[in-house]
Amino acid sequence: IKVAEKEHLGMHFWCTAGVDNNYEALLKRLERKQREFATGVEDKSSMNPIQRRIVETQWTYPGHEDDVEEAKKSFHVRLFNQDLEKCHLRQMIHDKDFRSHRALIKLDEVTQALSYPGCKDDVKRAEAYLSREGYTLHKAYFHEMIQGMRNKQNVYDGVVMEFSMNTSDGVAKKDLVQTLDDVVSGFPTKK
């Protein structure tokens, strides 16, 4: 049957690199769904091993049910590693485990040194980015986010030092925060 299906769907297309793996995964998924329908029992035997880990792991982070259902339906073999990594990152962030993945270790180290206004929001954005996109395929952008937080902290430290050296003790905190916002955004306002 599989030979006939491949010939019917155009063997020259389905046997090209990468497409054949996706076709095989889709065919296995259809066969598994047919067995599940016939027996009434969930069958994980034909799942890709990485896909099966996603489905069988006991996740507790918000939204894990949707991720597991999506993994069950997926036939994109090349994305299973990325999907598993995102599930692990989501679980670690949910558990506040910032010591088990190098991106979270880096984020935690940077977070300890931050004190500029809005730093907590930036950290939350970095966590959300890792949860949404993963790390392995998006390292460069994540490292840019980390460097951006460092840069903001350096600007803030410089602004605080300049204010403390050049003004009296009566400087209002909102003036300091506004100056920081102006410098970080690159558009200083004239006062």
Side-chain angles (χ1 to χ4, degrees):
I1 292 178
K2 289 182 184 181
V3 173
E5 288 171 339
K6 279 189 178 181
E7 282 184 30
H8 176 73
L9 294 172
M11 191 156 184
H12 65 282
F13 174 75
W14 290 105
C15 290
T16 59
V19 176
D20 193 43
N21 288 339
N22 284 341
Y23 174 76
E24 288 296 326
L26 181 57
L27 187 58
K28 284 181 181 181
R29 183 176 144 229
L30 292 172
E31 291 170 349
R32 183 177 70 245
K33 287 179 75 73
Q34 184 62 40
R35 278 192 304 274
E36 288 174 357
F37 178 77
T39 64
V41 177
E42 185 176 41
D43 178 17
K44 299 175 191 166
S45 64
S46 64
M47 286 184 176
N48 176 289
I50 299 169
Q51 179 186 29
R52 193 170 180 168
R53 279 183 57 196
I54 295 170
V55 171
E56 292 180 345
T57 300
Q58 298 298 312
W59 310 106
T60 60
Y61 63 87
H64 70 276
E65 300 92 351
D66 295 336
D67 291 343
V68 168
E69 286 304 312
E70 197 63 34
K72 285 179 184 178
K73 295 175 188 174
S74 181
F75 60 91
H76 298 288
V77 176
R78 292 180 182 190
L79 298 178
F80 289 149
N81 280 326
Q82 183 181 3
D83 292 341
L84 180 61
E85 179 189 49
K86 285 191 283 188
C87 289
H88 279 296
L89 283 165
R90 290 171 182 157
Q91 188 64 49
M92 287 180 243
I93 290 169
H94 173 71
D95 293 343
K96 305 221 181 298
D97 173 9
F98 292 89
R99 291 281 156 224
S100 298
H101 191 281
R102 63 182 173 202
L104 294 176
I105 292 169
K106 179 67 76 180
L107 183 59
D108 190 49
E109 288 171 355
V110 169
T111 301
Q112 301 305 317
L114 301 179
S115 62
Y116 65 86
C119 65
K120 289 180 182 175
D121 293 335
D122 288 346
V123 170
K124 291 289 182 207
R125 274 192 285 280
E127 289 174 2
Y129 180 79
L130 286 173
S131 291
R132 186 179 63 250
E133 302 296 334
Y135 176 73
T136 303
L137 297 178
H138 305 281
K139 290 178 205 178
Y141 186 75
F142 175 75
H143 289 288
E144 287 176 17
M145 293 177 81
I146 295 293
Q147 189 58 50
M149 287 185 257
R150 286 184 180 134
N151 293 346
K152 285 182 179 183
Q153 185 62 45
N154 290 337
V155 168
Y156 178 71
D157 291 344
V159 169
V160 169
M161 181 169 288
E162 181 180 330
F163 262 74
S164 64
M165 290 173 55
N166 296 328
T167 61
S168 67
D169 292 333
V171 174
K173 183 177 181 188
K174 73 175 195 163
D175 291 338
L176 175 63
V177 170
Q178 182 60 47
T179 301
L180 173 66
D181 289 343
D182 293 342
V183 172
V184 170
S185 69
F187 302 105
T189 57
K190 297 187 181 188
K191 296 183 178 167

